[in-house]
């Protein structure tokens, strides 16, 4: 879904609108090409990347931002465009040169050149003509799902693309602004009245009377900004879309299934669908906001872009600056082991699971609402919810956390489990070389001969491994996967989301989430499969040294030791700290003993 920025709180005059677009107020510098990659995903560089959740981005220099469906674009001070995210059709590979505005859509992107010409890139698989705009000169632009509308410099509207319901057939007369939604379009008349055309399902194309300062068409709804600063929305209210918050706003932007408003004090408030956290904006001050499909992006006063919601491709989350040696992903939090032995966690901290203790560790593991670290002396220390388990004393070689129980491998090779025993998963098992605890009551141990032995919950066959020799094993909710000594992957158990159907090839490591899995190829690339509802199975490009999979997100360690995550970021679990960590998720290692 596309989105626009609305700064004006009074109706612009036609002469002013014809002179410049609403996103062209910033000064332009020399032309600079920003053509992106033609790969499936374009990952953001750490120099200017937007980031997810709290904190400012690591770069700046942008004057506007546009959120689409899985990709987003920013306009630089010099007029060049930079895009990130999904790039399967080239929608995140902008041409070079200078633009006055940019709009991100459902598989395509369009930019308004400074001379008023429209240029589009990407391709809608159903309507190729969407990215073949007319040769008219425009003062502003709106991009919908499969159609687009522009405001000519003479004040008339023209639309192109899919026109099944008349959404690309605007009425005559003069407008001050136009906007394109799912299957409808709307225009703001010079007098402040809103007029819409196209599909009127749920009344999304039937605006109320009265004067507005701005209008924005979403998927099944439309929102307008009144002259008073109040927001009024119409159309489908299934997700509370037409029930905006009260108060005064400076701008409103309607996405596919959610909307966001910019208050007069610069803070944001969003409403509607929040499945990926797209309606949970960070705090602080913004100057504009763009609501897309499953994600939102805002522009900070310093020119930094910050995004939240769907993190497909991981490209909205720049790699952390900290150097890590291992990583583990839990249900809604993540923890990494830094090179200096300190544990760093981020994401949900309701039970203290993302607040690690100090000290030096050799390994870290995460579960549902808890985490455990293995100290360099082999002792275990756990933090978070301890209702169902308490870590035993003594020395361990490794530890693995399930949902309500955990298992550790003693230095002697014996497996010891603790917590709930509703499936017999905490019973003593013998001598092993490795152990893995599944979320819902099954576990697998890797014998010293490489043969896996599993127990506990076996409703889906997840505790019935095949014969043969494995180098490692990883467990999901209802399935298990093992890495053969030759590098191939074999899975068993439920395959209802494709999580037990790994790709061909040879791999160096494997990690299972709830209903998805990721593996590290021999060349350092990450491949994922299974459920991709939040983009957790859509890893970024590049080389990695380690991979971890959580419930709805995944993380990897880059060659230089930085962490990058992708997928659900509703609790900040896919946003590793990219600057100085906060006191709530960072524990310094104990200082070395003083010598005299």
């Amino acid at each position: 879904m596309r989105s626009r920025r609305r700064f004006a709180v009074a109706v612009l005059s036609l002469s002013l609108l014809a002179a410049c677009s609403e996103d062209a107020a910033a000064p332009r510098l020399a032309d600079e090409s920003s053509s992106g990659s033609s790969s499936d995903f374009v990952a953001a560089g750490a120099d200017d990347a937007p980031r997810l959740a709290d904190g400012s981005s690591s770069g700046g220099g942008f004057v506007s931002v546009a959120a689409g469906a899985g990709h987003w674009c920013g306009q630089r001070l010099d007029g060049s465009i930079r895009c990130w995210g999904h790039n399967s059709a080239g929608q995140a590979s902008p041409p070079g040169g200078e633009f006055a505005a940019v709009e991100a859509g459902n598989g395509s992107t369009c930019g308004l050149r400074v001379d008023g010409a429209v240029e589009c890139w990407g391709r809608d698989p159903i309507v190729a003509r969407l990215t073949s705009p007319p040769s008219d000169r425009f003062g502003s632009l709106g991009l919908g799902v499969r159609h687009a509308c522009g405001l000519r410099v003479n004040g008339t509207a023209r639309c192109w693309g899919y026109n099944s319901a008349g959404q690309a057939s605007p009425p005559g007369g003069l407008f001050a602004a136009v906007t394109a939604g799912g299957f409808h379009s709307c225009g703001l008349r010079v007098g402040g009245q809103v007029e819409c055309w196209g599909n009127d399902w749920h009344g999304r194309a039937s605006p109320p009377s009265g004067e507005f300062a701005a209008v924005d068409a979403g998927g099944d709804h439309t929102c307008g900004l009144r002259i008073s600063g109040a927001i009024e929305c119409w159309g489908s209210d299934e997700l509370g879309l037409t029930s905006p918050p009260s108060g005064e706003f400076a701008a409103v932007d309607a996405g596919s299934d959610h909307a966001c408003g910019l208050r007069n004090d610069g803070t944001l408030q969003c409403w509607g669908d929040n499945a990926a956290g797209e309606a949970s904006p960070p705090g602080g001050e913004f100057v504009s906001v763009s609501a897309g499909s499953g994600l939102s992006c805002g522009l900070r006063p310093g020119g930094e872009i910050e995004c939240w919601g769907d993190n497909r491709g991981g490209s909205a989350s720049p790699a952390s600056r900290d150097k890590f040696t291992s990583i583990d992903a839990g249900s809604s939090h993540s923890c990494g082991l830094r090179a200096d032995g300190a544990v760093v966690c981020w994401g949900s901290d309701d039970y203290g699971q993302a607040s690690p203790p100090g000290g030096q560790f050799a390994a870290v593991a995460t579960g549902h609402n808890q985490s455990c670290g293995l100290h360099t002396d082999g002792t275990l220390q756990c933090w978070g919810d301890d209702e169902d388990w308490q870590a035993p004393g003594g020395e361990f070689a490794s530890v693995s956390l399930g949902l309500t129980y955990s298992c550790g491998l003693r230095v002697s090779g014996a497996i010891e489990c603790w917590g709930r025993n509703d499936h017999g998963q905490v019973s003593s098992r013998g001598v092993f070389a490795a152990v893995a605890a599944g979320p819902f009551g099954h576990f697998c141990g890797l014998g010293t001969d490489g043969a896996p032995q599993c127990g506990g919950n076996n409703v889906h066959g997840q505790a019935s491994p095949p014969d043969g020799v494995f180098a490692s094993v990883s467990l999901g909710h209802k399935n298990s996967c093992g890495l053969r000594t030759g590098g191939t992957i074999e899975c068993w158990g439920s395959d209802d989301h494709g999580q037990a159907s790994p790709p061909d090839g040879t791999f160096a490591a494997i990690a299972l989430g709830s209903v998805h899995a990721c593996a590290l190829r021999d060349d350092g690339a990450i491949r994922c499969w299974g459920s991709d509802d939040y983009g957790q199975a859509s890893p970024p490009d590049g080389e990695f040294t380690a991979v971890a999979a959580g419930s709805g997100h995944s993380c990897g360690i880059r060659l230089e030791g930085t962490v990058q995550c992708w997928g659900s970021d509703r609790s900040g679990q896919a946003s590793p700290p990219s600057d100085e960590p906060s006191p709530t998720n960072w524990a310094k290692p104990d200082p070395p003993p003083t010598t005299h």
Side-chain angles (χ1 to χ4, degrees), residues 202-443:
H202 290 302
R204 59 188 171 185
S206 297
S209 59
E211 290 186 63
F212 289 85
V215 63
D216 200 63
D220 295 327
H221 69 294
T222 307
C223 290
L225 183 70
R226 291 285 189 181
I227 299 295
S228 64
I231 292 175
E232 189 169 350
C233 301
W234 55 95
S236 173
D237 195 39
E238 183 178 357
L239 297 166
L241 292 169
T242 60
S243 300
S246 60
E248 294 185 21
F249 290 82
V252 63
D253 203 90
S256 177
D257 293 312
H258 74 291
C260 293
L262 177 71
R263 290 199 177 272
N264 291 335
D265 62 1
T267 59
L268 296 179
Q269 193 162 359
C270 303
W271 59 97
D273 189 17
N274 197 33
E278 64 268 42
S280 296
E285 187 178 355
F286 290 83
V287 296
S288 68
V289 63
S290 177
S293 178
L295 75 147
S296 306
C297 294
L299 184 69
R300 294 283 189 184
E304 302 93 354
I305 293 173
E306 189 168 349
C307 301
W308 55 97
D310 189 351
N311 190 21
R312 295 176 189 270
S315 48
S317 180
S320 63
R321 292 193 181 103
D322 280 340
K323 307 298 183 184
F324 290 85
T325 59
S326 68
I327 184 78
D328 202 36
S331 294
S332 55
H333 75 292
S334 305
C335 291
L337 180 67
R338 287 198 333 189
D340 62 1
V343 169
V344 180
C345 300
W346 55 95
S348 176
D349 198 33
D350 295 341
Y351 296 88
Q353 67 267 38
S355 296
Q360 287 190 301
F361 292 84
V364 63
T366 59
H368 180 58
N369 289 323
Q370 65 284 125
S371 307
C372 287
L374 186 67
H375 280 289
T376 52
D377 62 359
T379 58
L380 277 178
Q381 188 171 0
C382 301
W383 55 96
D385 185 13
D386 63 354
E387 179 182 351
D388 297 307
W389 50 268
Q390 289 286 343
E395 293 183 52
F396 287 85
S398 65
V399 62
S400 180
L401 275 62
L403 185 65
T404 57
Y405 79 106
S406 302
C407 291
L409 183 70
R410 292 285 188 183
V411 291
S412 64
I415 290 177
E416 186 171 350
C417 300
W418 56 96
R420 289 189 186 178
N421 196 26
D422 46 351
H423 296 283
Q425 65 268 31
V426 302
S427 303
S428 178
R429 300 297 173 179
V431 178
F432 293 86
V435 64
F440 288 126
H442 82 290
F443 90 102

Side-chain angles (χ1 to χ4, degrees), residues 486-555:
T488 59
I489 295 173
E490 189 168 352
C491 301
W492 55 97
S494 174
D495 195 34
D496 54 351
H497 289 81
Q499 69 269 38
S501 297
D504 296 331
T506 57
F507 296 83
I510 184 173
L512 266 63
S514 295
V515 286
H516 82 289
C518 292
L520 181 70
R521 283 198 180 276
D522 292 336
D523 61 2
I526 290 177
R527 285 288 305 276
C528 301
W529 60 97
S531 175
D532 196 34
D533 293 343
Y534 302 105
Q536 67 268 39
S538 297
D541 296 329
E543 292 186 59
F544 292 82
T545 61
V547 64
S551 291
H553 74 293
S554 307
C555 295

